[in-house]
Amino acid sequence: MKKIVISIAAIAAFTGSAIAADMAPRYAKAPPPAPVTVYNWTGCYVGGNVGGGWARTDQTRMSRLGVLFPADYGSSDNSQVIGGGQIGCDYQFAGNWVVGIQGMYDYARIGSSHALPAFPTFTSVNETKDVWTVTGRVGYLFVPQLLGYIKGGGAWTRQDNIVVQPSGALSETALGVNRSGWTVGGGLEWMFAPGWSAFAEYNYMDFGRRDVQHISAVTGSGFVAGLPSEVISTRLEVSTATVGVNYKFNFGGPVVARY
């Protein structure tokens, strides 16, 4: 009997130890921290944009039929919707700095008109057609996905200038005048998803002043249709405000998750 009691006690002690061992706390490996997204701005991109364009034209007649004959031909400005595309490449360095080069084209038909102060019954009609720019830009990353930047470089456009008589008939024309100048601007670009970014920017373009030879559209008052009539000094300024989206590719390193 004594042996039986001892055996039962031993079994109970062993079982209790096993149960206690099972109930002891178990320690699991801590889960890994959430991945940290690394944004890499190095690489090339292509995209589209849309916005508004403003053009201001200021004119002074310099000569008439080859004779120096200055006259105030006034100024006008107007705005229109523009849109186009851009392509470029960026390089990120020193942590938060980004430099790049960009080419941009915007389709534009920005027209304006005004009466000539020297001859109020006549009207000058001007249309700025299309804008091209090639710029360099320097930017700083305020946070890894938000870039603030400034840009500057060369700008090109074409302009039609015509003078209309009181009857509405053309008096003289200068069509497809190529203009070149400089541009400066700035904006913000936000990388909202791997490979994709959106931007908003403003650009000012100065095409300077150019003496434009006009061709007479009528015969009379000393003018002969098809021959030079007046030289008009024309100053052109253009501003644009656009928003757009870029798709980024061929990056030096992909957007990765780092633990």
Side-chain angles (χ1 to χ4, degrees):
M1 183 67 179
K2 215 182 250 189
K3 289 182 179 180
I4 294 174
V5 171
I6 291 171
S7 299
I8 292 173
I11 292 171
F14 176 79
T15 304
S17 298
I19 293 172
D22 288 340
M23 295 179 64
R26 297 176 180 270
Y27 295 95
K29 183 180 177 181
V36 177
T37 301
V38 178
Y39 293 88
N40 189 346
W41 288 78
T42 296
C44 298
Y45 59 87
V46 63
N49 70 81
V50 66
W54 294 262
R56 178 176 176 82
T57 303
D58 181 83
Q59 297 174 307
T60 301
R61 186 181 70 184
M62 303 305 296
S63 64
R64 181 180 186 275
L65 297 175
V67 178
L68 185 64
F69 201 165
D72 182 7
Y73 270 22
S75 62
S76 60
D77 57 78
N78 201 1
S79 61
Q80 188 58 265
V81 174
I82 64 172
Q86 62 281 339
I87 186 170
C89 293
D90 288 325
Y91 175 70
Q92 183 176 347
F93 69 101
N96 290 348
W97 291 95
V98 176
V99 295
I101 186 170
Q102 181 187 81
M104 178 178 283
Y105 163 77
D106 279 300
Y107 175 88
R109 292 294 184 271
I110 309 172
S112 66
S113 63
H114 61 274
L116 307 185
F119 306 97
T121 57
F122 286 76
T123 301
S124 174
V125 179
N126 309 284
E127 186 173 55
T128 301
K129 296 181 174 181
D130 306 325
V131 178
W132 295 262
T133 61
V134 175
T135 55
R137 72 173 185 171
V138 178
Y140 182 81
L141 294 167
F142 300 111
V143 294
Q145 66 270 40
L146 181 62
L147 176 71
Y149 60 89
I150 58 174
K151 57 189 290 191
W156 296 265
T157 188
R158 295 179 298 118
Q159 192 176 46
D160 291 345
N161 309 118
I162 66 175
V163 176
V164 180
Q165 301 179 66
S167 64
L170 294 182
S171 176
E172 58 186 20
T173 65
L175 304 179
V177 179
N178 292 319
R179 304 296 299 266
S180 61
W182 55 270
T183 179
V184 64
L188 293 171
E189 187 170 359
W190 173 48
M191 190 181 291
F192 61 88
W196 291 93
S197 65
F199 68 89
E201 69 176 40
Y202 167 82
N203 296 285
Y204 169 78
M205 300 164 215
D206 191 334
F207 295 97
R209 184 174 289 276
R210 175 178 174 178
D211 289 348
V212 178
Q213 177 69 68
H214 284 235
I215 303 299
S216 180
V218 295
T219 298
S221 301
F223 294 159
V224 177
L227 295 182
S229 54
E230 298 180 323
V231 173
I232 300 176
S233 176
T234 303
R235 175 173 172 76
L236 175 62
E237 298 170 278
V238 175
S239 296
T240 63
T242 56
V243 295
V245 175
N246 289 323
Y247 174 70
K248 302 175 183 297
F249 56 94
N250 290 340
F251 270 52
V255 177
V256 300
R258 183 178 62 193
Y259 291 90

